Amino acid sequence: DAKTTQPPSMDCAEGRAANLPCNHSTISGNEYVYWYRQIHSQGPQYIIHGLKNNETNEMASLIITEDRKSSTLILPHATLRDTAVYYCIVRVAVRTDKLIFGTGTRLQVFP
Amino acid sequence: DTGVSQNPRHKITKRGQNVTFRCDPISEHNRLYWYRQTLGQGPEFLTYFQNEAQLEKSRLLSDRFSAERPKGSFSTLEIQRTEQGDSAMYLCASSPTGLGEKLFFGSGTQLSVL
């Protein structure tokens, strides 16, 4: 079962930062936070992941609270192409290493 | 681009027929996953291969479903005696060996059972 809670939908103006929250209050010490997104009619796409430190890559930043019970994905300058469903996933890097998806947040970027 | 390839992209079939989908993972990836996704839901895990060995199957995978990866390269997912409830997007993903590696997904096969 998914171990995360996300708002079902959010809006963001083009060019502004999109901040997508995720609650994972039952996360364990060896569990990572992963973010994927799914644009309509495509498979999910990896964005970023982290354990306890904040992370940044060319797509986004990931801010994890000190107690690790929540995190925020930041898209610094949202574009229309960022309109997608964003999934926050808690993953234990053992055995099959599968991802368990929840229902995600549908982000709509408007002009 | 040598990403994960899935064929066909769309499949329409009549109830009771058998269907087979193919997934070609990224060539050096040893791990292969099948997921199913219905409208408005996130992808649901179905099964996992490490090379040619099927190491995990979800309870969602009924006896009508079978997956193979005969030489540790491409994989097939067959559904026998399809039902309308099988209508969904079937997604394949692959990753390198190693814990915590990223999964790379294909664009999926959309199955419609009439």
Side-chain angles (χ1 to χ4, degrees):
Chain A
D1 293 332
K3 300 181 179 181
T4 62
T5 304
Q6 299 177 255
S9 63
M10 294 182 65
D11 291 337
C12 179
E14 189 176 20
R16 304 297 292 269
N19 297 284
L20 289 85
C22 179
N23 181 287
H24 31 79
S25 57
T26 61
I27 194 169
S28 300
N30 63 344
E31 292 180 322
Y32 288 74
V33 179
Y34 278 74
W35 284 83
Y36 278 72
R37 74 179 182 184
Q38 189 172 25
I39 296 170
H40 183 62
S41 297
Q42 297 182 23
Q45 175 192 24
Y46 168 82
I47 301 173
I48 198 167
H49 76 281
L51 182 63
K52 55 184 177 182
N53 297 321
N54 297 338
E55 301 288 344
T56 295
N57 63 19
E58 66 279 4
M59 290 182 69
S61 294
L62 174 61
I63 308 298
I64 303 175
T65 58
E66 192 169 345
D67 63 7
R68 302 185 70 237
K69 293 186 176 181
S70 65
S71 61
T72 301
L73 178 74
I74 301 172
L75 307 178
H77 306 287
T79 71
L80 298 179
R81 289 176 296 180
D82 291 323
T83 293
V85 178
Y86 287 77
Y87 296 99
C88 171
I89 300 163
V90 169
R91 183 187 195 191
V92 180
V94 295
R95 214 163 67 89
T96 61
D97 225 2
K98 64 190 181 226
L99 297 172
I100 305 298
F101 290 82
T103 52
T105 295
R106 182 171 298 278
L107 176 69
Q108 179 70 53
V109 180
F110 56 91
Chain B
D1 188 318
T2 57
V4 178
S5 176
Q6 291 190 247
N7 288 288
R9 284 299 311 275
H10 304 275
K11 179 70 177 179
I12 300 173
T13 191
K14 292 183 179 179
R15 188 162 47 101
Q17 298 295 304
N18 300 342
V19 294
T20 300
F21 312 138
R22 177 178 170 124
C23 171
D24 287 272
I26 294 172
S27 59
E28 64 269 23
H29 287 183
N30 296 323
R31 297 180 162 197
L32 188 145
Y33 303 79
W34 284 99
Y35 284 80
R36 179 173 67 188
Q37 185 174 25
T38 54
L39 199 61
Q41 302 297 313
E44 297 173 298
F45 170 78
L46 292 179
T47 190
Y48 159 74
F49 289 85
Q50 172 79 31
N51 297 312
E52 67 276 9
Q54 188 175 19
L55 297 184
E56 185 173 345
K57 292 194 294 185
S58 166
R59 289 169 297 177
L60 296 173
L61 212 63
S62 77
D63 292 344
R64 297 184 297 104
F65 287 69
S66 63
E68 293 184 344
R69 194 182 183 197
K71 296 183 179 180
S73 56
F74 72 91
S75 176
T76 58
L77 178 67
E78 181 183 18
I79 309 175
Q80 296 182 327
R81 305 180 303 282
T82 53
E83 303 172 356
Q84 287 185 325
D86 297 331
S87 295
M89 173 75 80
Y90 290 84
L91 291 160
C92 176
S94 70
S95 76
T97 302
L99 297 177
E101 290 285 350
K102 293 181 283 187
L103 269 64
F104 293 81
F105 284 82
S107 295
T109 294
Q110 181 67 52
L111 173 66
S112 298
V113 182
L114 306 179

